[in-house]
Every structure is written in structure tokens, then in C-alpha cells.
Amino acid sequence: MAPTHVTLYNASFEPLGRVSFKHAVKMLFREVAVVHEQLGDRMIGPHQWPKAVRLVRYIKTHWMYRPAGYSRAGVLRRDRHRCGYCGSQAKTIDHIVPQSRGGGWTWQNTVAACSDCNGKKGNRTPAEAGMRLRETPYQPTRAQLAVLPG
Ligand SMILES: [Zn+2]
């Protein structure tokens, strides 16, 4: 079975985080990366199954440390698919300041939430609903999102 994640190394051999197995294989076929560490004897076309891949060309790591572009999937990933209020598994996104009250789709105003908490909070702020955020939402860097699963 394919691993879910593959470690990504820079051409300078510094680890850059993780990418999905699928993404790593694409990088091999696009010839932007080579197998750094192989996984068993299996092959995908001309390539060994990667446990780690290494970029062919050095990239300045700075881009990894730039803020990640906003996405709902990114919010779930940043919050490790855990509800920002109760910590159980989260599949929905809650607007801390509700959209109806001007709260936007931003990293700071959205958290992963389970449907129970999302429903309970409704159209209120956490303070109004008597709910407390477990962590203050932050704007992650690309590197932070890259090393988080899923
Ligand atoms: Zn919850």
C-alpha cells in the first residue's frame, strides 16, 4: 500500500516538510524531484516507490514560509480536523464572527468545527454562545500546512 505522505527534501538535502504520495510521484514524473529514499522494491514506471523525494533544483525556502492561500480545506488541515470548540472530529467550518455580521472567510475568522458546535453556536459570537475557542486561529505558512496531515 502506498504511504500517505512522503518527506520532501530540498536539493540541499534539508527537509522541507511532507507531500502526499500522489504529489511526490507527480514530481518524479515531472522530473522536478528524484527518489531520495526508496520504499521497498516496488516501481512506478521507471521510478522506485518513494519514502522521501528530493528536489532537483534548490528552492529558496522563503516561499514555504509565506502565508498559505486561504482555503476551507486549509482551515481543516490547520486545525487537524479537530473542532475548535470541543476537540472532536470536525468537518465543517465555523465563522467566529458570523458572516451575517460581517465576519469574513479569513484564517483568523474561521475554525474547524463539528456540526454539533457549529449548530449550537449558530449566528452568535463565541462569547454570546458561551463557547470558548481552544486555540486562537492563525494564518499558517505554506510550510506549516505542508507538514500537517491530510
Ligand atoms: Zn465541537
Side-chain angles (χ1 to χ4, degrees):
M1 220 181 76
T4 49
H5 289 93
V6 171
T7 308
L8 174 67
Y9 285 87
N10 209 338
S12 57
F13 293 76
E14 323 155 63
L16 289 176
R18 292 194 295 176
V19 294
S20 69
F21 184 79
K22 205 172 144 188
H23 187 83
V25 169
K26 274 188 201 159
M27 292 170 89
L28 295 175
F29 279 95
R30 279 171 38 223
E31 298 182 345
V32 296
V34 293
V35 175
H36 180 71
E37 200 183 334
Q38 71 186 80
L39 188 73
D41 296 327
R42 291 190 67 171
M43 303 290 287
I44 298 178
H47 306 288
Q48 294 161 315
W49 269 36
K51 189 174 172 194
V53 294
R54 190 175 72 244
L55 294 171
V56 173
R57 284 174 49 191
Y58 176 78
I59 55 154
K60 284 192 179 173
T61 49
H62 313 296
W63 72 270
M64 290 289 284
Y65 297 97
R66 286 188 199 140
Y70 181 82
S71 70
R72 293 169 68 105
V75 171
L76 291 172
R77 192 165 187 164
R78 177 196 67 187
D79 298 344
R80 297 172 168 80
H81 300 265
R82 295 280 156 213
C83 176
Y85 299 102
C86 74
S88 64
Q89 207 195 359
K91 292 200 167 122
T92 66
I93 304 281
D94 174 59
H95 283 77
I96 298 163
V97 175
Q99 282 183 280
S100 60
R101 310 201 3 210
W105 288 95
T106 63
W107 287 112
Q108 285 83 5
N109 193 49
T110 50
V111 285
C114 69
S115 45
D116 284 355
C117 288
N118 211 338
K120 187 173 137 200
K121 180 172 167 289
N123 221 7
R124 299 176 292 178
T125 65
E128 288 166 356
M131 293 164 77
R132 176 172 273 184
L133 278 167
R134 292 158 60 240
E135 283 174 64
T136 307
Y138 62 95
Q139 177 165 53
T141 63
R142 295 173 197 221
Q144 281 171 321
L145 280 195
V147 297
L148 290 170

